[in-house]
Amino acid sequence: MLKERERGRFITLEGGEGSGKSTQALRLASALALCGVPVLRTREPGGAPGSERIRGLLLGGGGWDGVAETMLHFAARREHLARTIIPALSAGIWVVSDRFVDSTLAYQCFAQGVPRRVWDDLAALSLEGVWPDLTFILDLAPEEGLARAAARGPVNRYEALDLAFHARVRDGFRAVAALAPARCVLLDATDSPEGIAAAILGIVRARLRLPS
Ligand code: TYD
């Protein structure tokens, strides 16, 4: 779909609640910009006007059928890809996204019990082969992550779910890292933010060619 030679690189940050993804997305985007890389930082659910409206539905209240909820995440993602991510990559802009497709596998499939084939089918349909070049998964015990999230302010409806749910989210992300080692790097989120940022930048430099 995209011409490889001109394409920007697509990097995603994943992990459970309070794992520091947003901080690291900001640090990585700033570091890349300092290296002269054109970069766009974005997030899910959201990242495009229609996707932000769907975010309001998803975070505004629960009670969804699990497959319907998964479809809503993918509808938001498709809009995000079509309106924001693909145009940026096509223009040679690097994209750093705070959450992407692996969050749906961890939260909806591993934690909520939606069948994996639903994710496989929706990912094939909505991504059309546009997968991240590199994914960082920030691994943290849910007890610590939820405490960090609660200290930051009011919690969203996923954060309010019980510890067992968040333990399954963590297991899901660890399984993703084990299943896709060429794309995913698992990082210990208890390290210092500076240390994690340096590790991420080092891996980006080593694995993805920065434009000269
Ligand atoms: P947000 O406030 O952005 O939380 P965070 O800072 O942890 O990213 O809320 C997004 C919530 O949506 C988060 O709790 C995880 C959940 N989520 C899913 O359940 N499935 C998904 O596919 C995505 C992208 C997010």
Side-chain angles (χ1 to χ4, degrees), residues 74 116-127:
F74 272 102
R116 165 70 194 249
R117 67 179 164 74
V118 171
W119 184 90
D120 286 333
D121 289 352
L122 291 173
L125 199 65
S126 36
L127 269 54

Side-chain angles (χ1 to χ4, degrees), residues 17 21 45 55 73 77 99 103-104 107-108 156 158:
E17 308 302 334
K21 296 173 289 54
R55 178 189 173 92
H73 277 291
R77 180 160 303 127
R99 295 196 185 278
S103 279
T104 314
Y107 281 79
Q108 278 64 54
N156 72 41
Y158 291 103

